[in-house]
Amino acid sequence: MSPPTSPILSVQPTRGLVDEKLKVVVESLPPGSPVTLHSLHHSEDEDYWEAFGHYVSDFRGMVSVSEDLSFGGTYTGKEDMGLLWSMRPVPGSRKGLRLRKMNVCSPMLHNISVYSGHVSEGFREQTPLTSVLVERWYMAPGVKRIDIMEKGVRGTLFIPPGPGPFPGLLDMWGGGGGLIEYRSALLASHGYVSLAMDYFNSQELESADLEFKYFETAFNIIKEHPQVIPDRVGMFGLSLGSLVTMHVAAESTIVKPRCCICVSGSHFYPNTFFCIAENNHHVWRDMWIHLLDDPSKKVDVGKINCPILLVNGKDDQNVPADECAEDIALLMNAAGNGHLLSRVLYPDTGHLIEPPYSPHFRASNFKAAGVATKTVMLLWGGQTKPHSDAQEDAWRKILSFLQHNLYSSTPPRAKL
Amino acid sequence: MDRKQCIVKLFVQPSRGLVDENFIILVQKDLPGYQLTVHALHKCEDGHSWEAFGHYISNAIGTVNVSEDPSLGGTYSGVEQMGLLWSLRPVPGSKPGLRLRKMNVQIPMEVTISVYQGHQTEGFMDQVPLASVVVERWYMAPGVSRIPITEDGLTATLFLPPGPGPFPGLLDLWGGGGQLVEYRASLLASHGIASLALDYLTPKITMETRKMVDLQYFEKAYKILEQHPQVHGSSIGMLGLSLGTSITLKMAAYSEVMKLRCAVCISGSHVQPVDGSMEDILKHFNKNADRTRVSEENEFIWRDLLLPVPSDLAFKVDMGRLKCPLLVVVGEDDQNWPASESAMDMKEMMEQAGNSHLLTVLSYPNAGHLIEPPYTPHARASLFRSMATREKMMALWGGETAAHSLAQEDAWRKLLVFLRENLYSGTNPGTPSLSHL
């Protein structure tokens, strides 16, 4: 019997952070032969997610995902990370799923496999030629995770390894509520003490006053931590978290963030959450537009006096991010602090601008706060490929903005 | 200087890697021309602390890149991307004769990489570094299965790569120190080869019966691999280091049961009583125990016990009988076995027999006996309990650290190519023939 003719698949790194690039190479294939590269993930919610690309080996019998074109599958073209960002629930899955890692102390596991020929379905019923297992971590080794239940603030603090002291970040998600840790864990893996805050319990929307004092207290918990540099604490918000960030930056007399990042946010104070349905998907975007004309309903951004980065998607179906960013720029220029503002606006990109290589979902299930406890399908927007490009680019810009404003020893400058 | 303004950023990628993967270390400090020390600290399973360090100066934009900038001093110098690992040595005050070996491969080695101000050479533990990160180094890739093997009286561990298989197989043998040493087999499985680490000097059966194993023990191990549903039965190789080489050559040349596809022999010899059992082999080495030399530092040199290489064919494996490709790796400064002399004699025998096209010899100047997977710290000498004498003595292995570390890196790369070429079918067009290495 002749030796095995199985191809050799190598993926590096086998254990990486979620924002690190993968190098996927297949060797010892017959030359010029069609193969499918497939990735499979079994989520914490027990759903299966997959992505795949159709390739043809070159005449050395090799496929290199970072150099060769995918001719079809869940992504096409030269896409070194397509096997991750183009993942979608396998056929037959429940609808409206969103992939989010809740336990950051363990990695996401991906099975990367090579199948013979150009396969588009029925992967589970076939045996691949070869496969490897890859770990993707939100937490670098040595990062400490600490539960915070202090002065009424509930959250999780992530501290980078090393003596410090480090710059700090208050990290806030949006109106879905709950305690989402993964972005903070990742930020700590990049050298920032980061507090993921649980501040919005969708059951309690009635008091739509997001208690101002709560955020100031949380900010101070970070600022006063022995491993944090007190005047290098910033704020990072997505969606409703952006609103909180702008509000605190503008109005607080106690707390002075060193810089702010607002992703997919609006500067309107919400009063109601009524929706306009489109194909049964709730679209919230258009209800905000009419508020643009009423200054009392907006954060007084003219009072912000630290560098602020706005990251938005042009196809955001949840908030009118584009219009808001324009309005914020107008207001800040008028107030004379426009030099502090930087903005990036990504075409065909939706609301959920997450850390890179996270799968994109144009809509997903959302517990609509205030509309009893009904779960609706909420439209976020964006087209998968441009949205994924945006996530990658935005993360790079966010990290460089943070590095520049929180790590650099020269006084912070506004423009990127 | 105001502490706040001295923020140093330290970046190591990958933060979790296999032990044979390179890493990139970047230090960013906004001051050019700044002196700093990059330091590595590892606490091994025995509780001992190991350290390495290099002295650097930041460039015009305040950065140090360990893979591009030279270390100006420390435990290594020059441009050495992996110097912080291969130059690890026991911290001052440690007991002498230590050797770093990972016994539990299911958890990683943790190495703390730190940056200190200035060019320091000692007292690292008494200072607070400017920054530090933790890096994991794994002998096992995700998805590799570890399967203890106890059937047929064997004491072994099988490591299977992830995936459907079938995979090529490999028998992995260490040397005269005995024990079940798994790290090389788990690393090879991480490269796609189903590998069986075999304890043949101190297996359960020997510990209970006080009798050494016979040659059928190895054949049983081979059969376990051959019959495994996820192993390709006709694609099995054997790898031995030191005494493991003696077994490998014996099996490759004489076993009727083992059909080896290829063999790798590291730091060993073909000199042994050809018809001998395990006991006979060990007795043969002890016959010339009076040829043991002792260095100035009281380290035992055993290379002369098998010299000169005999011309009597009863005392060396008949290399002409070999039918599979053979890779021989030797360190020219091996003070424990006469590996170089043996390699030369093996080559001559094979040239005379007409099968020397099967042989590749990799000979490394200034490398010692313990040619391990890359970045393993070099031990020029260490405490060794020989199975023959049962005493613990300081054995001189040889080798000069930088040259030995380079040899480990090069030998491993070539070993992987050799195994892949011979255990998988179909050479890729354009790949140079290994006999010209």
Side-chain angles (χ1 to χ4, degrees):
Chain A
M1 219 192 341
S2 61
T5 52
S6 60
I8 297 166
L9 171 63
S10 77
V11 181
Q12 277 196 323
T14 45
R15 293 178 175 93
L17 286 182
V18 294
D19 57 359
E20 278 168 19
K21 289 212 167 194
L22 279 181
K23 198 158 134 52
V24 181
V25 173
V26 192
E27 292 173 282
S28 292
L29 285 166
S33 66
V35 288
T36 303
L37 265 141
H38 181 264
S39 101
L40 182 71
H41 171 68
H42 190 196
S43 72
E44 287 167 327
D45 298 330
E46 307 281 340
D47 301 295
Y48 284 94
W49 293 70
E50 68 176 2
F52 54 95
H54 293 156
Y55 291 89
V56 175
S57 61
D58 66 13
F59 290 82
R60 293 171 302 166
M62 250 178 76
V63 169
S64 164
V65 171
S66 51
E67 284 161 16
D68 296 332
L69 293 186
S70 158
F71 295 100
T74 57
Y75 66 97
T76 53
K78 197 186 330 188
E79 294 292 347
D80 50 4
M81 299 300 286
L83 284 167
L84 290 181
W85 58 252
S86 74
M87 281 203 301
R88 62 197 189 185
V90 297
S93 297
R94 313 178 281 156
K95 298 269 168 271
L97 295 177
R98 186 173 166 187
L99 187 62
R100 310 188 89 181
K101 190 82 168 69
M102 299 311 278
N103 176 4
V104 297
C105 298
S106 66
M108 288 179 68
L109 294 176
H110 295 271
N111 243 299
I112 311 277
S113 310
V114 181
Y115 289 84
S116 182
H118 285 170
V119 182
S120 299
E121 53 182 6
F123 290 96
R124 306 277 290 285
E125 286 86 56
Q126 297 181 51
T127 305
L129 297 174
T130 179
S131 75
V132 301
L133 190 65
V134 166
E135 292 180 2
R136 303 288 286 172
W137 290 81
Y138 280 98
M139 232 163 100
V143 168
K144 292 188 275 289
R145 179 188 173 279
I146 300 168
D147 292 308
I148 299 287
M149 234 339 213
E150 197 181 315
K151 299 176 189 158
V153 171
R154 192 172 103 79
T156 312
L157 190 65
F158 290 92
I159 304 179
F166 307 100
L169 277 172
L170 182 58
D171 179 37
M172 291 164 298
W173 287 89
L179 181 49
I180 313 288
E181 299 184 355
Y182 57 85
R183 192 172 58 201
S184 283
L186 194 57
L187 288 164
S189 304
H190 284 279
Y192 301 93
V193 170
S194 190
L195 177 66
M197 267 187 71
D198 181 3
Y199 68 92
F200 192 73
N201 191 324
S202 47
Q203 261 73 60
E204 290 160 14
L205 178 66
E206 287 322 310
S207 55
D209 289 317
L210 299 160
E211 278 266 2
F212 198 32
K213 199 162 156 304
Y214 186 71
F215 300 99
E216 291 176 325
T217 308
F219 190 96
N220 284 331
I221 286 175
I222 305 172
K223 188 173 160 198
E224 287 154 18
H225 192 283
Q227 278 182 287
V228 172
I229 306 167
D231 67 342
R232 303 255 178 140
V233 181
M235 291 180 73
F236 191 140
L238 179 136
S239 195
L240 194 57
S242 292
L243 178 66
V244 171
T245 297
M246 284 187 266
H247 180 69
V248 169
E251 302 293 341
S252 178
T253 46
I254 301 174
V255 150
K256 296 271 156 257
R258 179 103 175 179
C259 66
C260 295
I261 294 179
C262 296
V263 178
S264 300
S266 82
H267 55 318
F268 301 122
Y269 295 109
N271 45 10
T272 52
F273 274 86
F274 63 89
C275 334
I276 299 162
E278 173 202 280
N279 303 337
N280 268 342
H281 289 189
H282 289 225
V283 180
W284 290 355
R285 178 188 207 296
D286 298 324
M287 72 180 180
W288 306 87
I289 297 269
H290 74 280
L291 294 172
L292 265 170
D293 302 319
D294 186 348
S296 66
K297 300 278 196 305
K298 302 189 269 188
V299 175
D300 191 356
V301 293
K303 284 155 72 176
I304 293 178
N305 57 7
C306 66
I308 173 167
L309 171 65
L310 300 183
V311 177
N312 293 307
K314 221 163 148 67
D315 192 42
D316 189 332
Q317 296 297 318
N318 197 254
V319 299
D322 196 358
E323 289 85 343
C324 287
E326 279 298 324
D327 194 57
I328 291 171
L330 266 169
L331 294 169
M332 286 182 76
N333 283 329
N337 61 354
H339 62 286
L340 294 173
L341 177 67
S342 302
R343 353 178 224 157
V344 272
L345 181 67
Y346 294 100
D348 292 319
T349 296
H351 184 70
L352 298 175
I353 301 176
E354 300 250 23
Y357 321 126
S358 315
H360 165 250
F361 354 85
R362 192 167 163 76
S364 73
N365 295 325
F366 188 80
K367 237 192 270 291
V371 187
T373 46
K374 194 170 162 228
T375 298
V376 299
M377 187 76 109
L378 201 53
L379 188 67
W380 306 112
Q383 300 300 326
T384 296
K385 161 81 176 135
H387 187 96
S388 302
D389 284 343
Q391 288 188 156
E392 203 183 322
D393 189 79
W395 188 246
R396 254 203 309 272
K397 293 204 161 59
I398 285 168
L399 289 180
S400 66
F401 177 82
L402 290 174
Q403 165 88 16
H404 182 71
N405 287 291
L406 297 180
Y407 262 100
S408 183
S409 55
T410 51
R413 295 194 309 273
K415 295 289 178 209
L416 276 170
Chain B
M1 205 185 293
D2 182 359
R3 192 86 210 282
K4 282 191 297 201
Q5 288 173 313
C6 294
I7 307 178
V8 169
K9 265 206 107 181
L10 173 61
F11 172 77
V12 181
Q13 199 176 36
S15 48
R16 293 178 175 92
L18 286 182
V19 294
D20 56 358
E21 277 169 16
N22 286 2
F23 54 29
I24 296 176
I25 301 180
L26 285 178
V27 185
Q28 268 165 275
K29 179 163 182 51
D30 288 333
L31 297 176
Y34 190 79
Q35 285 192 347
L36 41 84
T37 301
V38 184
H39 180 267
L41 180 71
H42 170 65
K43 195 153 181 207
C44 68
E45 288 166 330
D46 301 332
H48 297 113
S49 291
W50 295 67
E51 70 174 2
F53 53 93
H55 294 155
Y56 293 90
I57 296 185
S58 63
N59 66 8
I61 52 169
T63 305
V64 169
N65 181 340
V66 172
S67 17
E68 289 171 6
D69 301 337
S71 159
L72 305 167
T75 58
Y76 66 97
S77 59
V79 179
E80 292 291 350
Q81 184 171 11
M82 303 302 289
L84 284 165
L85 287 181
W86 59 251
S87 74
L88 279 171
R89 63 190 191 190
V91 296
S94 299
K95 54 182 250 222
L98 295 175
R99 184 179 164 190
L100 187 60
R101 308 191 90 182
K102 191 88 168 68
M103 298 313 275
N104 179 359
V105 297
Q106 295 181 288
I107 56 174
M109 280 178 68
E110 278 190 6
V111 182
T112 303
I113 309 280
S114 310
V115 182
Y116 290 86
Q117 194 162 334
H119 285 171
Q120 315 245 15
T121 51
E122 54 180 6
F124 292 98
M125 294 303 100
D126 306 319
Q127 297 178 56
V128 176
L130 297 174
S132 78
V133 298
V134 177
V135 167
E136 290 179 3
R137 305 290 290 171
W138 288 81
Y139 279 97
M140 231 165 102
V144 167
S145 333
R146 177 184 174 274
I147 304 159
I149 303 282
T150 49
E151 52 259 54
D152 288 331
L154 293 171
T155 298
T157 311
L158 176 62
F159 289 93
L160 283 178
F167 311 104
L170 186 86
L171 279 171
D172 181 83
L173 268 53
W174 287 89
Q179 292 181 82
L180 180 51
V181 181
E182 300 184 352
Y183 58 86
R184 194 173 54 201
S186 69
L187 192 56
L188 288 165
S190 305
H191 286 280
I193 302 172
S195 300
L196 187 80
L198 184 64
D199 179 0
Y200 62 93
L201 284 179
T202 55
K204 192 153 175 279
I205 201 165
T206 295
M207 303 314 273
E208 283 168 1
T209 63
R210 298 262 129 237
K211 276 167 61 183
M212 305 229 92
V213 302
D214 56 20
L215 299 170
Q216 281 69 49
Y217 182 83
F218 302 95
E219 291 173 342
K220 282 184 202 155
Y222 171 89
K223 286 231 186 66
I224 296 267
L225 270 179
E226 197 203 14
Q227 289 160 3
H228 196 284
Q230 277 180 286
V231 175
H232 204 272
S234 65
S235 240
I236 297 176
M238 195 159 170
L239 188 161
L241 179 137
S242 196
L243 186 60
T245 291
S246 310
I247 311 294
T248 300
L249 289 173
K250 197 187 210 47
M251 295 294 131
Y254 299 107
S255 171
E256 308 277 304
V257 170
M258 287 200 197
K259 302 276 166 268
L260 295 176
R261 190 119 193 136
C262 67
V264 181
C265 292
I266 304 176
S267 301
S269 172
H270 60 322
V271 174
Q272 56 177 274
V274 158
D275 294 320
S277 64
M278 280 295 321
E279 279 101 344
D280 296 329
I281 295 177
L282 292 176
K283 275 206 199 102
H284 183 76
F285 297 159
N286 277 328
K287 245 177 39 197
N288 296 324
D290 54 323
R291 296 209 197 132
T292 304
R293 285 184 282 135
V294 181
S295 74
E296 278 169 17
E297 285 89 14
N298 276 336
E299 299 147 337
F300 288 85
I301 299 169
W302 285 312
R303 71 183 327 274
D304 300 323
L305 268 57
L306 288 181
L307 287 175
V309 174
S311 39
D312 184 347
L313 296 175
F315 290 101
K316 51 186 185 179
V317 169
D318 182 359
M319 300 301 294
R321 289 177 59 106
L322 238 66
K323 293 199 175 44
C324 68
L326 172 66
L327 178 67
V328 170
V329 180
V330 303
E332 290 168 16
D333 192 42
D334 190 332
Q335 298 298 319
N336 194 253
W337 282 65
S340 280
E341 294 90 330
S342 304
M344 286 196 299
D345 192 71
M346 286 192 244
K347 183 155 187 259
E348 232 180 80
M349 288 178 84
M350 289 176 80
E351 274 164 358
Q352 276 171 18
N355 65 347
S356 62
H357 61 283
L358 294 172
L359 177 66
T360 307
V361 177
L362 301 176
S363 178
Y364 295 100
N366 295 320
H369 182 69
L370 299 175
I371 300 178
E372 299 249 26
Y375 320 129
T376 307
H378 169 240
R380 189 171 160 77
S382 73
L383 280 173
F384 178 76
R385 190 195 301 283
S386 158
M387 284 301 113
T389 66
R390 310 236 189 262
E391 284 170 54
K392 231 181 181 174
M393 306 155 98
M394 191 71 90
L396 183 66
W397 308 115
E400 179 274 308
T401 297
H404 187 95
S405 302
L406 193 58
Q408 288 186 156
E409 219 182 308
D410 189 72
W412 184 251
R413 250 201 309 270
K414 296 197 161 84
L415 185 158
L416 288 178
V417 172
F418 176 83
L419 288 175
R420 186 193 290 192
E421 275 249 325
N422 287 290
L423 296 178
Y424 283 88
S425 88
T427 323
N428 288 322
T431 311
S433 159
L434 275 166
S435 59
H436 297 301
L437 275 173

